[in-house]
Amino acid sequence: MIPLELKISAERRSLTVTWDDGSRSLIPASLLRARSRAAQQVRSEIDGIDHSFDDVRVTGAESIGSYAVRLVFSDGHDRGIYPWRYLREIGDAQA
């Protein structure tokens, strides 16, 4: 599972991933932010802190080698690395 294209929507509220098998994932920015595996987000989940990311937007994306993408969000969060497999899992859960 390799992405052929990642596209941030014009309003920056979603990420569309086109996969090498021809399928597409349309993933809301709020879900991507909530599913970040960064330590701060994981700790918040463990502590039962519920955050609302409804107004969060994707402001940037950076390739991490050939295995992942690092997303930057409008709330300043820039520590989330999304390996392709994990990104696909998030996208498939939307289907």
mmCIF file with all atom_site columns, all heavy atoms in Angstrom, residues 45-70:
data_model
loop_
_atom_site.group_PDB
_atom_site.id
_atom_site.type_symbol
_atom_site.label_atom_id
_atom_site.label_alt_id
_atom_site.label_comp_id
_atom_site.label_asym_id
_atom_site.label_entity_id
_atom_site.label_seq_id
_atom_site.pdbx_PDB_ins_code
_atom_site.Cartn_x
_atom_site.Cartn_y
_atom_site.Cartn_z
_atom_site.occupancy
_atom_site.B_iso_or_equiv
_atom_site.pdbx_formal_charge
_atom_site.auth_seq_id
_atom_site.auth_comp_id
_atom_site.auth_asym_id
_atom_site.auth_atom_id
_atom_site.pdbx_PDB_model_num
ATOM 1   N N   . GLU A 1 45 ? -5.157  10.898 25.722 1.00 0.00 ? 45 GLU A N   1
ATOM 2   C CA  . GLU A 1 45 ? -6.109  9.793  25.655 1.00 0.00 ? 45 GLU A CA  1
ATOM 3   C C   . GLU A 1 45 ? -6.034  8.923  26.903 1.00 0.00 ? 45 GLU A C   1
ATOM 4   O O   . GLU A 1 45 ? -7.058  8.520  27.451 1.00 0.00 ? 45 GLU A O   1
ATOM 5   C CB  . GLU A 1 45 ? -5.858  8.961  24.404 1.00 0.00 ? 45 GLU A CB  1
ATOM 6   C CG  . GLU A 1 45 ? -6.238  9.677  23.132 1.00 0.00 ? 45 GLU A CG  1
ATOM 7   C CD  . GLU A 1 45 ? -5.873  8.897  21.885 1.00 0.00 ? 45 GLU A CD  1
ATOM 8   O OE1 . GLU A 1 45 ? -5.579  7.687  21.991 1.00 0.00 ? 45 GLU A OE1 1
ATOM 9   O OE2 . GLU A 1 45 ? -5.881  9.507  20.806 1.00 0.00 ? 45 GLU A OE2 1
ATOM 10  N N   . ILE A 1 46 ? -4.817  8.640  27.367 1.00 0.00 ? 46 ILE A N   1
ATOM 11  C CA  . ILE A 1 46 ? -4.631  7.837  28.581 1.00 0.00 ? 46 ILE A CA  1
ATOM 12  C C   . ILE A 1 46 ? -5.261  8.536  29.780 1.00 0.00 ? 46 ILE A C   1
ATOM 13  O O   . ILE A 1 46 ? -5.897  7.909  30.622 1.00 0.00 ? 46 ILE A O   1
ATOM 14  C CB  . ILE A 1 46 ? -3.131  7.559  28.828 1.00 0.00 ? 46 ILE A CB  1
ATOM 15  C CG1 . ILE A 1 46 ? -2.598  6.608  27.760 1.00 0.00 ? 46 ILE A CG1 1
ATOM 16  C CG2 . ILE A 1 46 ? -2.900  7.004  30.228 1.00 0.00 ? 46 ILE A CG2 1
ATOM 17  C CD1 . ILE A 1 46 ? -1.086  6.466  27.749 1.00 0.00 ? 46 ILE A CD1 1
ATOM 18  N N   . ASP A 1 47 ? -5.097  9.862  29.841 1.00 0.00 ? 47 ASP A N   1
ATOM 19  C CA  . ASP A 1 47 ? -5.632  10.644 30.956 1.00 0.00 ? 47 ASP A CA  1
ATOM 20  C C   . ASP A 1 47 ? -7.121  10.928 30.815 1.00 0.00 ? 47 ASP A C   1
ATOM 21  O O   . ASP A 1 47 ? -7.721  11.540 31.697 1.00 0.00 ? 47 ASP A O   1
ATOM 22  C CB  . ASP A 1 47 ? -4.871  11.966 31.086 1.00 0.00 ? 47 ASP A CB  1
ATOM 23  C CG  . ASP A 1 47 ? -3.431  11.763 31.534 1.00 0.00 ? 47 ASP A CG  1
ATOM 24  O OD1 . ASP A 1 47 ? -3.108  10.680 32.065 1.00 0.00 ? 47 ASP A OD1 1
ATOM 25  O OD2 . ASP A 1 47 ? -2.619  12.697 31.353 1.00 0.00 ? 47 ASP A OD2 1
ATOM 26  N N   . GLY A 1 48 ? -7.716  10.507 29.701 1.00 0.00 ? 48 GLY A N   1
ATOM 27  C CA  . GLY A 1 48 ? -9.144  10.702 29.495 1.00 0.00 ? 48 GLY A CA  1
ATOM 28  C C   . GLY A 1 48 ? -9.521  12.131 29.139 1.00 0.00 ? 48 GLY A C   1
ATOM 29  O O   . GLY A 1 48 ? -10.663 12.541 29.313 1.00 0.00 ? 48 GLY A O   1
ATOM 30  N N   . ILE A 1 49 ? -8.556  12.892 28.645 1.00 0.00 ? 49 ILE A N   1
ATOM 31  C CA  . ILE A 1 49 ? -8.827  14.269 28.244 1.00 0.00 ? 49 ILE A CA  1
ATOM 32  C C   . ILE A 1 49 ? -9.389  14.252 26.827 1.00 0.00 ? 49 ILE A C   1
ATOM 33  O O   . ILE A 1 49 ? -8.759  13.743 25.910 1.00 0.00 ? 49 ILE A O   1
ATOM 34  C CB  . ILE A 1 49 ? -7.546  15.121 28.309 1.00 0.00 ? 49 ILE A CB  1
ATOM 35  C CG1 . ILE A 1 49 ? -7.026  15.150 29.746 1.00 0.00 ? 49 ILE A CG1 1
ATOM 36  C CG2 . ILE A 1 49 ? -7.813  16.529 27.787 1.00 0.00 ? 49 ILE A CG2 1
ATOM 37  C CD1 . ILE A 1 49 ? -5.653  15.765 29.886 1.00 0.00 ? 49 ILE A CD1 1
ATOM 38  N N   . ASP A 1 50 ? -10.571 14.809 26.691 1.00 0.00 ? 50 ASP A N   1
ATOM 39  C CA  . ASP A 1 50 ? -11.240 14.821 25.397 1.00 0.00 ? 50 ASP A CA  1
ATOM 40  C C   . ASP A 1 50 ? -11.036 16.179 24.744 1.00 0.00 ? 50 ASP A C   1
ATOM 41  O O   . ASP A 1 50 ? -11.410 17.212 25.303 1.00 0.00 ? 50 ASP A O   1
ATOM 42  C CB  . ASP A 1 50 ? -12.728 14.532 25.576 1.00 0.00 ? 50 ASP A CB  1
ATOM 43  C CG  . ASP A 1 50 ? -13.448 14.381 24.262 1.00 0.00 ? 50 ASP A CG  1
ATOM 44  O OD1 . ASP A 1 50 ? -12.804 14.030 23.252 1.00 0.00 ? 50 ASP A OD1 1
ATOM 45  O OD2 . ASP A 1 50 ? -14.673 14.614 24.235 1.00 0.00 ? 50 ASP A OD2 1
ATOM 46  N N   . HIS A 1 51 ? -10.427 16.191 23.581 1.00 0.00 ? 51 HIS A N   1
ATOM 47  C CA  . HIS A 1 51 ? -10.198 17.421 22.835 1.00 0.00 ? 51 HIS A CA  1
ATOM 48  C C   . HIS A 1 51 ? -11.128 17.462 21.637 1.00 0.00 ? 51 HIS A C   1
ATOM 49  O O   . HIS A 1 51 ? -11.395 16.440 21.017 1.00 0.00 ? 51 HIS A O   1
ATOM 50  C CB  . HIS A 1 51 ? -8.752  17.482 22.317 1.00 0.00 ? 51 HIS A CB  1
ATOM 51  C CG  . HIS A 1 51 ? -7.735  17.566 23.399 1.00 0.00 ? 51 HIS A CG  1
ATOM 52  N ND1 . HIS A 1 51 ? -7.502  18.712 24.110 1.00 0.00 ? 51 HIS A ND1 1
ATOM 53  C CD2 . HIS A 1 51 ? -6.878  16.643 23.892 1.00 0.00 ? 51 HIS A CD2 1
ATOM 54  C CE1 . HIS A 1 51 ? -6.544  18.494 24.995 1.00 0.00 ? 51 HIS A CE1 1
ATOM 55  N NE2 . HIS A 1 51 ? -6.157  17.243 24.876 1.00 0.00 ? 51 HIS A NE2 1
ATOM 56  N N   . SER A 1 52 ? -11.576 18.635 21.323 1.00 0.00 ? 52 SER A N   1
ATOM 57  C CA  . SER A 1 52 ? -12.358 18.822 20.106 1.00 0.00 ? 52 SER A CA  1
ATOM 58  C C   . SER A 1 52 ? -11.440 19.412 19.048 1.00 0.00 ? 52 SER A C   1
ATOM 59  O O   . SER A 1 52 ? -10.796 20.433 19.268 1.00 0.00 ? 52 SER A O   1
ATOM 60  C CB  . SER A 1 52 ? -13.518 19.778 20.361 1.00 0.00 ? 52 SER A CB  1
ATOM 61  O OG  . SER A 1 52 ? -14.162 20.058 19.139 1.00 0.00 ? 52 SER A OG  1
ATOM 62  N N   . PHE A 1 53 ? -11.376 18.748 17.916 1.00 0.00 ? 53 PHE A N   1
ATOM 63  C CA  . PHE A 1 53 ? -10.534 19.207 16.820 1.00 0.00 ? 53 PHE A CA  1
ATOM 64  C C   . PHE A 1 53 ? -11.375 19.623 15.617 1.00 0.00 ? 53 PHE A C   1
ATOM 65  O O   . PHE A 1 53 ? -10.897 19.623 14.491 1.00 0.00 ? 53 PHE A O   1
ATOM 66  C CB  . PHE A 1 53 ? -9.539  18.102 16.436 1.00 0.00 ? 53 PHE A CB  1
ATOM 67  C CG  . PHE A 1 53 ? -8.615  17.720 17.554 1.00 0.00 ? 53 PHE A CG  1
ATOM 68  C CD1 . PHE A 1 53 ? -8.687  16.470 18.136 1.00 0.00 ? 53 PHE A CD1 1
ATOM 69  C CD2 . PHE A 1 53 ? -7.672  18.624 18.019 1.00 0.00 ? 53 PHE A CD2 1
ATOM 70  C CE1 . PHE A 1 53 ? -7.827  16.112 19.163 1.00 0.00 ? 53 PHE A CE1 1
ATOM 71  C CE2 . PHE A 1 53 ? -6.803  18.276 19.053 1.00 0.00 ? 53 PHE A CE2 1
ATOM 72  C CZ  . PHE A 1 53 ? -6.885  17.020 19.626 1.00 0.00 ? 53 PHE A CZ  1
ATOM 73  N N   . ASP A 1 54 ? -12.625 19.984 15.866 1.00 0.00 ? 54 ASP A N   1
ATOM 74  C CA  . ASP A 1 54 ? -13.547 20.320 14.785 1.00 0.00 ? 54 ASP A CA  1
ATOM 75  C C   . ASP A 1 54 ? -13.056 21.447 13.889 1.00 0.00 ? 54 ASP A C   1
ATOM 76  O O   . ASP A 1 54 ? -13.330 21.456 12.697 1.00 0.00 ? 54 ASP A O   1
ATOM 77  C CB  . ASP A 1 54 ? -14.925 20.686 15.345 1.00 0.00 ? 54 ASP A CB  1
ATOM 78  C CG  . ASP A 1 54 ? -15.622 19.489 15.967 1.00 0.00 ? 54 ASP A CG  1
ATOM 79  O OD1 . ASP A 1 54 ? -15.227 18.337 15.682 1.00 0.00 ? 54 ASP A OD1 1
ATOM 80  O OD2 . ASP A 1 54 ? -16.557 19.697 16.756 1.00 0.00 ? 54 ASP A OD2 1
ATOM 81  N N   . ASP A 1 55 ? -12.363 22.420 14.453 1.00 0.00 ? 55 ASP A N   1
ATOM 82  C CA  . ASP A 1 55 ? -11.918 23.574 13.675 1.00 0.00 ? 55 ASP A CA  1
ATOM 83  C C   . ASP A 1 55 ? -10.486 23.450 13.168 1.00 0.00 ? 55 ASP A C   1
ATOM 84  O O   . ASP A 1 55 ? -9.954  24.393 12.585 1.00 0.00 ? 55 ASP A O   1
ATOM 85  C CB  . ASP A 1 55 ? -12.053 24.856 14.507 1.00 0.00 ? 55 ASP A CB  1
ATOM 86  C CG  . ASP A 1 55 ? -13.510 25.186 14.805 1.00 0.00 ? 55 ASP A CG  1
ATOM 87  O OD1 . ASP A 1 55 ? -14.367 24.883 13.954 1.00 0.00 ? 55 ASP A OD1 1
ATOM 88  O OD2 . ASP A 1 55 ? -13.791 25.730 15.879 1.00 0.00 ? 55 ASP A OD2 1
ATOM 89  N N   . VAL A 1 56 ? -9.857  22.315 13.391 1.00 0.00 ? 56 VAL A N   1
ATOM 90  C CA  . VAL A 1 56 ? -8.461  22.123 12.987 1.00 0.00 ? 56 VAL A CA  1
ATOM 91  C C   . VAL A 1 56 ? -8.377  21.899 11.478 1.00 0.00 ? 56 VAL A C   1
ATOM 92  O O   . VAL A 1 56 ? -9.213  21.225 10.885 1.00 0.00 ? 56 VAL A O   1
ATOM 93  C CB  . VAL A 1 56 ? -7.839  20.935 13.754 1.00 0.00 ? 56 VAL A CB  1
ATOM 94  C CG1 . VAL A 1 56 ? -6.463  20.599 13.233 1.00 0.00 ? 56 VAL A CG1 1
ATOM 95  C CG2 . VAL A 1 56 ? -7.770  21.251 15.232 1.00 0.00 ? 56 VAL A CG2 1
ATOM 96  N N   . ARG A 1 57 ? -7.346  22.461 10.890 1.00 0.00 ? 57 ARG A N   1
ATOM 97  C CA  . ARG A 1 57 ? -7.087  22.293 9.462  1.00 0.00 ? 57 ARG A CA  1
ATOM 98  C C   . ARG A 1 57 ? -5.680  21.749 9.255  1.00 0.00 ? 57 ARG A C   1
ATOM 99  O O   . ARG A 1 57 ? -4.807  21.949 10.092 1.00 0.00 ? 57 ARG A O   1
ATOM 100 C CB  . ARG A 1 57 ? -7.227  23.628 8.740  1.00 0.00 ? 57 ARG A CB  1
ATOM 101 C CG  . ARG A 1 57 ? -8.626  24.185 8.846  1.00 0.00 ? 57 ARG A CG  1
ATOM 102 C CD  . ARG A 1 57 ? -8.687  25.608 8.352  1.00 0.00 ? 57 ARG A CD  1
ATOM 103 N NE  . ARG A 1 57 ? -9.964  26.189 8.695  1.00 0.00 ? 57 ARG A NE  1
ATOM 104 C CZ  . ARG A 1 57 ? -10.876 26.553 7.820  1.00 0.00 ? 57 ARG A CZ  1
ATOM 105 N NH1 . ARG A 1 57 ? -10.663 26.395 6.538  1.00 0.00 ? 57 ARG A NH1 1
ATOM 106 N NH2 . ARG A 1 57 ? -12.004 27.075 8.210  1.00 0.00 ? 57 ARG A NH2 1
ATOM 107 N N   . VAL A 1 58 ? -5.468  21.076 8.142  1.00 0.00 ? 58 VAL A N   1
ATOM 108 C CA  . VAL A 1 58 ? -4.131  20.613 7.769  1.00 0.00 ? 58 VAL A CA  1
ATOM 109 C C   . VAL A 1 58 ? -3.453  21.786 7.068  1.00 0.00 ? 58 VAL A C   1
ATOM 110 O O   . VAL A 1 58 ? -3.958  22.291 6.073  1.00 0.00 ? 58 VAL A O   1
ATOM 111 C CB  . VAL A 1 58 ? -4.180  19.395 6.824  1.00 0.00 ? 58 VAL A CB  1
ATOM 112 C CG1 . VAL A 1 58 ? -2.776  18.986 6.424  1.00 0.00 ? 58 VAL A CG1 1
ATOM 113 C CG2 . VAL A 1 58 ? -4.911  18.232 7.466  1.00 0.00 ? 58 VAL A CG2 1
ATOM 114 N N   . THR A 1 59 ? -2.318  22.231 7.602  1.00 0.00 ? 59 THR A N   1
ATOM 115 C CA  . THR A 1 59 ? -1.632  23.372 7.006  1.00 0.00 ? 59 THR A CA  1
ATOM 116 C C   . THR A 1 59 ? -0.370  22.975 6.250  1.00 0.00 ? 59 THR A C   1
ATOM 117 O O   . THR A 1 59 ? 0.198   23.791 5.534  1.00 0.00 ? 59 THR A O   1
ATOM 118 C CB  . THR A 1 59 ? -1.272  24.419 8.077  1.00 0.00 ? 59 THR A CB  1
ATOM 119 O OG1 . THR A 1 59 ? -0.427  23.814 9.061  1.00 0.00 ? 59 THR A OG1 1
ATOM 120 C CG2 . THR A 1 59 ? -2.529  24.974 8.725  1.00 0.00 ? 59 THR A CG2 1
ATOM 121 N N   . GLY A 1 60 ? 0.057   21.721 6.414  1.00 0.00 ? 60 GLY A N   1
ATOM 122 C CA  . GLY A 1 60 ? 1.232   21.284 5.685  1.00 0.00 ? 60 GLY A CA  1
ATOM 123 C C   . GLY A 1 60 ? 1.448   19.790 5.797  1.00 0.00 ? 60 GLY A C   1
ATOM 124 O O   . GLY A 1 60 ? 0.865   19.120 6.654  1.00 0.00 ? 60 GLY A O   1
ATOM 125 N N   . ALA A 1 61 ? 2.283   19.277 4.907  1.00 0.00 ? 61 ALA A N   1
ATOM 126 C CA  . ALA A 1 61 ? 2.621   17.846 4.889  1.00 0.00 ? 61 ALA A CA  1
ATOM 127 C C   . ALA A 1 61 ? 4.061   17.711 4.420  1.00 0.00 ? 61 ALA A C   1
ATOM 128 O O   . ALA A 1 61 ? 4.488   18.410 3.497  1.00 0.00 ? 61 ALA A O   1
ATOM 129 C CB  . ALA A 1 61 ? 1.683   17.090 3.963  1.00 0.00 ? 61 ALA A CB  1
ATOM 130 N N   . GLU A 1 62 ? 4.781   16.826 5.068  1.00 0.00 ? 62 GLU A N   1
ATOM 131 C CA  . GLU A 1 62 ? 6.186   16.599 4.734  1.00 0.00 ? 62 GLU A CA  1
ATOM 132 C C   . GLU A 1 62 ? 6.436   15.096 4.656  1.00 0.00 ? 62 GLU A C   1
ATOM 133 O O   . GLU A 1 62 ? 6.094   14.356 5.580  1.00 0.00 ? 62 GLU A O   1
ATOM 134 C CB  . GLU A 1 62 ? 7.073   17.221 5.804  1.00 0.00 ? 62 GLU A CB  1
ATOM 135 C CG  . GLU A 1 62 ? 8.537   16.966 5.622  1.00 0.00 ? 62 GLU A CG  1
ATOM 136 C CD  . GLU A 1 62 ? 9.358   17.489 6.800  1.00 0.00 ? 62 GLU A CD  1
ATOM 137 O OE1 . GLU A 1 62 ? 8.825   18.179 7.678  1.00 0.00 ? 62 GLU A OE1 1
ATOM 138 O OE2 . GLU A 1 62 ? 10.555  17.165 6.835  1.00 0.00 ? 62 GLU A OE2 1
ATOM 139 N N   . SER A 1 63 ? 7.039   14.674 3.591  1.00 0.00 ? 63 SER A N   1
ATOM 140 C CA  . SER A 1 63 ? 7.369   13.260 3.425  1.00 0.00 ? 63 SER A CA  1
ATOM 141 C C   . SER A 1 63 ? 8.431   12.860 4.451  1.00 0.00 ? 63 SER A C   1
ATOM 142 O O   . SER A 1 63 ? 9.390   13.591 4.683  1.00 0.00 ? 63 SER A O   1
ATOM 143 C CB  . SER A 1 63 ? 7.897   13.034 2.005  1.00 0.00 ? 63 SER A CB  1
ATOM 144 O OG  . SER A 1 63 ? 8.284   11.695 1.859  1.00 0.00 ? 63 SER A OG  1
ATOM 145 N N   . ILE A 1 64 ? 8.239   11.698 5.042  1.00 0.00 ? 64 ILE A N   1
ATOM 146 C CA  . ILE A 1 64 ? 9.212   11.125 5.959  1.00 0.00 ? 64 ILE A CA  1
ATOM 147 C C   . ILE A 1 64 ? 9.735   9.858  5.289  1.00 0.00 ? 64 ILE A C   1
ATOM 148 O O   . ILE A 1 64 ? 9.095   8.810  5.335  1.00 0.00 ? 64 ILE A O   1
ATOM 149 C CB  . ILE A 1 64 ? 8.602   10.790 7.344  1.00 0.00 ? 64 ILE A CB  1
ATOM 150 C CG1 . ILE A 1 64 ? 7.963   12.020 7.975  1.00 0.00 ? 64 ILE A CG1 1
ATOM 151 C CG2 . ILE A 1 64 ? 9.649   10.171 8.253  1.00 0.00 ? 64 ILE A CG2 1
ATOM 152 C CD1 . ILE A 1 64 ? 8.936   13.132 8.326  1.00 0.00 ? 64 ILE A CD1 1
ATOM 153 N N   . GLY A 1 65 ? 10.875  9.990  4.628  1.00 0.00 ? 65 GLY A N   1
ATOM 154 C CA  . GLY A 1 65 ? 11.420  8.860  3.887  1.00 0.00 ? 65 GLY A CA  1
ATOM 155 C C   . GLY A 1 65 ? 10.405  8.351  2.883  1.00 0.00 ? 65 GLY A C   1
ATOM 156 O O   . GLY A 1 65 ? 9.662   9.119  2.282  1.00 0.00 ? 65 GLY A O   1
ATOM 157 N N   . SER A 1 66 ? 10.365  7.042  2.743  1.00 0.00 ? 66 SER A N   1
ATOM 158 C CA  . SER A 1 66 ? 9.409   6.444  1.808  1.00 0.00 ? 66 SER A CA  1
ATOM 159 C C   . SER A 1 66 ? 8.305   5.692  2.540  1.00 0.00 ? 66 SER A C   1
ATOM 160 O O   . SER A 1 66 ? 7.590   4.905  1.937  1.00 0.00 ? 66 SER A O   1
ATOM 161 C CB  . SER A 1 66 ? 10.148  5.473  0.884  1.00 0.00 ? 66 SER A CB  1
ATOM 162 O OG  . SER A 1 66 ? 10.743  4.448  1.647  1.00 0.00 ? 66 SER A OG  1
ATOM 163 N N   . TYR A 1 67 ? 8.151   5.969  3.840  1.00 0.00 ? 67 TYR A N   1
ATOM 164 C CA  . TYR A 1 67 ? 7.199   5.170  4.615  1.00 0.00 ? 67 TYR A CA  1
ATOM 165 C C   . TYR A 1 67 ? 6.094   5.957  5.310  1.00 0.00 ? 67 TYR A C   1
ATOM 166 O O   . TYR A 1 67 ? 5.152   5.370  5.839  1.00 0.00 ? 67 TYR A O   1
ATOM 167 C CB  . TYR A 1 67 ? 7.942   4.352  5.672  1.00 0.00 ? 67 TYR A CB  1
ATOM 168 C CG  . TYR A 1 67 ? 8.414   5.155  6.862  1.00 0.00 ? 67 TYR A CG  1
ATOM 169 C CD1 . TYR A 1 67 ? 7.661   5.219  8.022  1.00 0.00 ? 67 TYR A CD1 1
ATOM 170 C CD2 . TYR A 1 67 ? 9.609   5.868  6.819  1.00 0.00 ? 67 TYR A CD2 1
ATOM 171 C CE1 . TYR A 1 67 ? 8.081   5.963  9.102  1.00 0.00 ? 67 TYR A CE1 1
ATOM 172 C CE2 . TYR A 1 67 ? 10.041  6.603  7.893  1.00 0.00 ? 67 TYR A CE2 1
ATOM 173 C CZ  . TYR A 1 67 ? 9.269   6.651  9.040  1.00 0.00 ? 67 TYR A CZ  1
ATOM 174 O OH  . TYR A 1 67 ? 9.690   7.395  10.113 1.00 0.00 ? 67 TYR A OH  1
ATOM 175 N N   . ALA A 1 68 ? 6.172   7.306  5.323  1.00 0.00 ? 68 ALA A N   1
ATOM 176 C CA  . ALA A 1 68 ? 5.205   8.056  6.116  1.00 0.00 ? 68 ALA A CA  1
ATOM 177 C C   . ALA A 1 68 ? 5.133   9.511  5.679  1.00 0.00 ? 68 ALA A C   1
ATOM 178 O O   . ALA A 1 68 ? 5.921   9.974  4.859  1.00 0.00 ? 68 ALA A O   1
ATOM 179 C CB  . ALA A 1 68 ? 5.593   7.994  7.598  1.00 0.00 ? 68 ALA A CB  1
ATOM 180 N N   . VAL A 1 69 ? 4.173   10.217 6.297  1.00 0.00 ? 69 VAL A N   1
ATOM 181 C CA  . VAL A 1 69 ? 4.033   11.656 6.098  1.00 0.00 ? 69 VAL A CA  1
ATOM 182 C C   . VAL A 1 69 ? 3.876   12.292 7.485  1.00 0.00 ? 69 VAL A C   1
ATOM 183 O O   . VAL A 1 69 ? 3.263   11.713 8.385  1.00 0.00 ? 69 VAL A O   1
ATOM 184 C CB  . VAL A 1 69 ? 2.827   11.991 5.182  1.00 0.00 ? 69 VAL A CB  1
ATOM 185 C CG1 . VAL A 1 69 ? 1.514   11.568 5.807  1.00 0.00 ? 69 VAL A CG1 1
ATOM 186 C CG2 . VAL A 1 69 ? 2.814   13.451 4.810  1.00 0.00 ? 69 VAL A CG2 1
ATOM 187 N N   . ARG A 1 70 ? 4.458   13.462 7.639  1.00 0.00 ? 70 ARG A N   1
ATOM 188 C CA  . ARG A 1 70 ? 4.277   14.249 8.861  1.00 0.00 ? 70 ARG A CA  1
ATOM 189 C C   . ARG A 1 70 ? 3.320   15.369 8.510  1.00 0.00 ? 70 ARG A C   1
ATOM 190 O O   . ARG A 1 70 ? 3.546   16.117 7.559  1.00 0.00 ? 70 ARG A O   1
ATOM 191 C CB  . ARG A 1 70 ? 5.600   14.845 9.353  1.00 0.00 ? 70 ARG A CB  1
ATOM 192 C CG  . ARG A 1 70 ? 5.441   15.636 10.660 1.00 0.00 ? 70 ARG A CG  1
ATOM 193 C CD  . ARG A 1 70 ? 6.776   16.134 11.175 1.00 0.00 ? 70 ARG A CD  1
ATOM 194 N NE  . ARG A 1 70 ? 7.369   17.102 10.269 1.00 0.00 ? 70 ARG A NE  1
ATOM 195 C CZ  . ARG A 1 70 ? 7.186   18.424 10.332 1.00 0.00 ? 70 ARG A CZ  1
ATOM 196 N NH1 . ARG A 1 70 ? 6.403   18.937 11.252 1.00 0.00 ? 70 ARG A NH1 1
ATOM 197 N NH2 . ARG A 1 70 ? 7.787   19.223 9.467  1.00 0.00 ? 70 ARG A NH2 1
#
